[in-house]
Amino acid sequence: MVPRATNGRPRRAVSQGAVSERERARQREHFARSDAAHFEWQTAGAYVADSEAALLAAVPRLATGRLLEIGCGDGGNLHHLAGRSPMLVGVDFSIDKLRFARRRVPHARFVCSDGACLPVRSGSLDGVLIRDVLHHAADRRSVLDEAKRVLRPGGTLTVIEPNGRSPLVMLQGLLVRAERGAWRFGGARLAGEIRDAGFEVLTSEARQALGFHRVLLHHAMGA
């Protein structure tokens, strides 16, 4: 699911999607360490790298300004976004992942921070990407509010999230406990939460509806 939204009028803040402290600790432990094999799979894997680049084509190209990714991890998305903006910035809570990303994605800048508290001046960004992060967030609304704060008026937010009703996503949640937050998501709910945060949803589309390649060609359990 790939909604693209623009920074609109502010609305009353309502906390949504909060998870327990225990679940938050589990998420942080699971995603704290860099994963070189996953980065190579995402950026150089046969067929997978092309499908990743196609998925990220939803992120608008910026002739000027800055594009920031919240929850950039090892930098795989920013690798594919090279040349999409004069300045690419990645934010993640994991120092280990950011050290890896700095080595492998030299065209981007990286900052260690929580997605709900960005060290960025209000209204200073032209684009924000949030991919596969909201279903892990302790409070999704806080992350969306922060994205809205740092975007200039008319700036674009791109959100990419798995469809919780997909059999593959359900299977992933069964195998990896830290991924079970994706079960809460459907396209209507995601778009609704983005609107509630004060964004105007410009487009919302399903991509890679039958993403069997992500299992069949996965570096950890596929061919």
Side-chain angles (χ1 to χ4, degrees):
M1 299 175 292
V2 190
R4 283 175 52 191
T6 188
N7 198 355
R9 294 180 298 173
R11 299 187 184 182
R12 182 172 58 88
V14 179
S15 180
Q16 294 190 53
V19 300
S20 68
E21 286 299 320
R22 183 178 180 181
E23 181 66 19
R24 185 179 185 185
R26 181 183 293 114
Q27 297 277 356
R28 284 187 169 268
E29 180 181 3
H30 183 81
F31 293 104
R33 293 172 294 279
S34 62
D35 188 344
H38 184 273
F39 178 86
E40 295 298 335
W41 175 77
Q42 186 180 4
T43 60
Y47 181 75
V48 175
D50 289 341
S51 69
E52 287 287 291
L55 181 64
L56 290 164
V59 180
R61 186 177 298 274
L62 301 175
T64 60
R66 295 188 293 172
L67 171 65
L68 178 141
E69 181 184 8
I70 297 176
C72 67
D74 296 309
N77 295 320
L78 293 173
H79 166 88
H80 287 295
L81 293 173
R84 195 67 63 87
S85 168
M87 182 183 295
L88 296 172
V89 182
V91 171
D92 202 273
F93 79 91
S94 169
I95 286 288
D96 191 53
K97 285 183 178 293
L98 292 178
R99 285 172 179 159
F100 178 91
R102 286 191 181 106
R103 295 194 303 269
R104 303 303 296 272
V105 192
H107 58 264
R109 301 181 182 183
F110 297 95
V111 179
C112 186
S113 180
D114 189 278
C117 186
L118 299 172
V120 178
R121 188 174 70 253
S122 297
S124 62
L125 300 177
D126 294 88
V128 170
L129 167 65
I130 309 176
R131 179 183 177 184
D132 295 341
V133 168
L134 288 181
H135 68 274
H136 297 301
D139 189 333
R140 296 195 294 275
R141 179 56 187 267
S142 294
V143 176
L144 289 170
D145 282 344
E146 194 67 349
K148 181 168 176 40
R149 179 186 69 80
V150 300
L151 277 170
R152 66 168 178 79
T156 302
L157 168 68
T158 304
V159 179
I160 302 175
E161 280 290 326
N163 182 358
R165 296 180 180 141
S166 164
L168 295 180
V169 173
M170 292 180 182
L171 176 61
Q172 183 185 36
L174 288 173
L175 297 175
V176 183
R177 188 178 181 89
E179 294 288 354
R180 293 182 184 178
W183 291 351
R184 306 184 185 102
F185 271 112
R189 177 171 182 174
L190 178 59
E193 291 190 10
I194 292 171
R195 288 191 183 93
D196 287 344
F199 291 95
E200 177 188 358
V201 177
L202 301 178
T203 62
S204 181
E205 58 183 301
R207 293 194 173 194
Q208 298 183 5
L210 298 174
F212 291 110
H213 70 280
R214 300 189 67 84
V215 176
L216 297 175
L217 302 176
H218 197 275
H219 64 89
M221 55 187 173

